[in-house]
Amino acid sequence: MIDRIAEAIIETPLFGVTLTILTYWIGLRISKKLRLAIFNPYLISVLLIVAVLAVFGIPYSEYARGGDFIGMFLTPVTTILAVSIYRQREIVKSHFLPILMGTLVGSIVSVVAVVVLSEAFGITDELKYSLVPKSVTTPIAVAIADSLGGIRSLTVTALIFTGVMGNILAPLLVKLFRVKSRIASGVAIGTASHVIGTSKALEMGEDIGAMSGIALSFAGIITAIFVSLFF
Amino acid sequence: MTLSRDKAIIGAMEILSELIIIALLSIAGGVIAAMLPFAFPPAVISLFLLLLLLFLGIIKEDGLSSSSSFFLKYMAMFFVPSGVEIIEYADLLSSSWFHIILISAISMLITFFAAAKAVEITERLMQRRKAA
């Protein structure tokens, strides 16, 4: 009887869909209480799902039938980023050149640094391609990893690590690198550590946060173009 | 009574038309990507198309308000399955986690420095030009 109930729950794609939405909702609630970069709703959701699958011995493929449905929205979500870029057009217009130069140099340096370090450590090409877009906002990073033949989930893992690191270190790095300009601080945070870094940038100041948000969109687009030209 | 029901129907139709626009743009991005002679993420082409249509005024920002606020607010949720998939790569992760962390950390620091300095140098050059 219990087996049949369990089977009925897992059988439908709704299992993966519901588990994703439910754990993300729990993640949102927890992250609102504990305002720490490590307790972001995304990470909580992933860890809870992994725990549920492990505890109940549910194979990944069972989850994926629903998970793939949620993942199907990768493209629409990336498309919608255009709206947030469009909304920021006034700020972009007034600081266009510094933003462009910062995100252009930062994005190229990021990709080159990953490639050089990958060669130096002798990791596989598959792993290297997974790491190339890891500074960029998640939807664009996953799209780039796909087109390169990297492993999506490794990209996302490296990207979360990078983002959390940027979030925690951002105020320290601004001092360490003697960054005086607030525009430079925002652009650096957004280019190096995407949206997770941007949440710290917003705490450092509304202007820094806005710059960081713009920079992450710019960096995503520039990285996509740069990677398609040189790989 | 009928008024609020009419409003609800119009609201639902707006969401549908927004979803249609986004779905068509997503498909169009894939079609264009398939025709390009080089590999380029289809989703980023869809983004360009929407940005273009917004700037040309063909699509109004308000015309996407329901779906954009939903997708942008809960964006990270749509990538949860990609993250969970890591359990399929447990072996790879356990053998190369150290390299992943090291490469991510070092490149993040270099990127931060390069982006910040590029902005500051550009600002300085612009100021000098203004002063001259």
Side-chain angles (χ1 to χ4, degrees), chain A residues 17-38:
Chain A
V17 172
T18 311
L19 190 61
T20 308
I21 298 174
L22 180 68
T23 54
Y24 193 79
W25 178 77
I26 295 171
L28 275 175
R29 309 224 48 175
I30 294 176
S31 71
K32 259 181 204 156
K33 290 233 166 79
L34 311 161
R35 304 182 135 275
L36 283 169
I38 300 177

Side-chain angles (χ1 to χ4, degrees), chain A residues 20 24 28 42 45-46 49-50 53 60 63 67 70-71 73-82 84 86-87 89 98 101-102 105-106 109-110 113-114 117-118 121 123 127 131 134 138-140 143-144 151-154 157-158 161-162 165-166 173 177-181 183-184 187-189 192 221 224-225 228, chain B residues 19 22-23 25-27 38-44 46-48 50-51 54-55 57 59 61 64-65 67-69 71-89 92-93 96 99-120 122-123 126:
Chain A
T20 308
Y24 193 79
L28 275 175
Y42 177 86
S45 175
V46 170
I49 293 169
V50 170
L53 299 184
Y60 169 76
Y63 165 76
I70 300 250
F73 288 91
L74 161 72
T75 305
V77 165
T78 313
T79 309
I80 279 291
L81 275 180
S84 89
Y86 183 73
R87 278 183 193 148
R89 64 193 179 282
M101 290 311 289
V105 172
V109 164
S110 175
V114 169
L117 289 165
S118 298
F121 292 129
I123 62 170
L127 196 51
L131 295 183
K134 59 98 205 156
T138 321
I140 298 182
I144 294 173
I151 302 164
R152 255 185 203 201
S153 56
L154 280 178
T157 305
F161 173 79
T162 304
M165 189 182 149
L173 292 178
F177 296 147
R178 297 173 198 285
V179 184
K180 300 272 179 335
S181 151
I183 296 172
V187 169
I189 297 170
I221 293 169
I225 295 172
S228 77
Chain B
L19 289 177
I22 295 164
L25 284 170
S26 300
I27 294 168
F38 50 88
F40 195 82
V44 181
S46 306
L47 186 160
F48 282 139
L50 179 53
L51 202 56
L54 285 167
F55 271 111
I59 292 177
E61 189 191 336
L64 289 170
S65 55
S67 45
S68 65
S69 59
F71 281 120
L72 291 173
K73 190 173 177 192
Y74 300 112
M75 178 172 276
M77 188 181 76
F78 297 99
F79 301 95
V80 166
S82 304
V84 176
E85 203 188 354
I86 196 74
I87 54 178
E88 294 285 275
Y89 298 95
L92 187 60
L93 195 64
S96 36
H99 284 147
I100 294 174
I101 286 180
L102 209 60
I103 293 171
S104 299
I106 298 171
S107 63
M108 187 260 151
L109 295 175
I110 300 174
T111 305
F112 192 102
F113 181 79
K117 292 304 155 190
V119 173
E120 291 199 321
T122 309
E123 285 180 324
M126 286 169 72

Side-chain angles (χ1 to χ4, degrees), chain A residues 38-161:
Chain A
I38 300 177
F39 293 109
N40 69 65
Y42 177 86
L43 208 54
I44 294 169
S45 175
V46 170
L47 292 176
L48 283 176
I49 293 169
V50 170
V52 168
L53 299 184
V55 167
F56 294 101
I58 303 166
Y60 169 76
S61 56
E62 298 285 344
Y63 165 76
R65 271 189 285 137
D68 287 348
F69 179 80
I70 300 250
M72 189 184 76
F73 288 91
L74 161 72
T75 305
V77 165
T78 313
T79 309
I80 279 291
L81 275 180
V83 176
S84 89
I85 297 173
Y86 183 73
R87 278 183 193 148
Q88 294 154 333
R89 64 193 179 282
E90 292 305 325
I91 316 174
V92 173
K93 229 183 262 170
S94 53
H95 302 284
F96 183 72
L97 210 53
I99 296 172
L100 179 70
M101 290 311 289
T103 51
L104 184 71
V105 172
S107 301
I108 293 173
V109 164
S110 175
V111 172
V112 172
V114 169
V115 171
V116 169
L117 289 165
S118 298
E119 301 293 339
F121 292 129
I123 62 170
T124 62
D125 277 357
E126 199 180 36
L127 196 51
K128 178 176 79 183
Y129 290 141
S130 310
L131 295 183
V132 160
K134 59 98 205 156
S135 277
V136 171
T137 185
T138 321
I140 298 182
V142 171
I144 294 173
D146 278 353
S147 76
L148 282 175
I151 302 164
R152 255 185 203 201
S153 56
L154 280 178
T155 304
V156 175
T157 305
L159 181 149
I160 297 293
F161 173 79

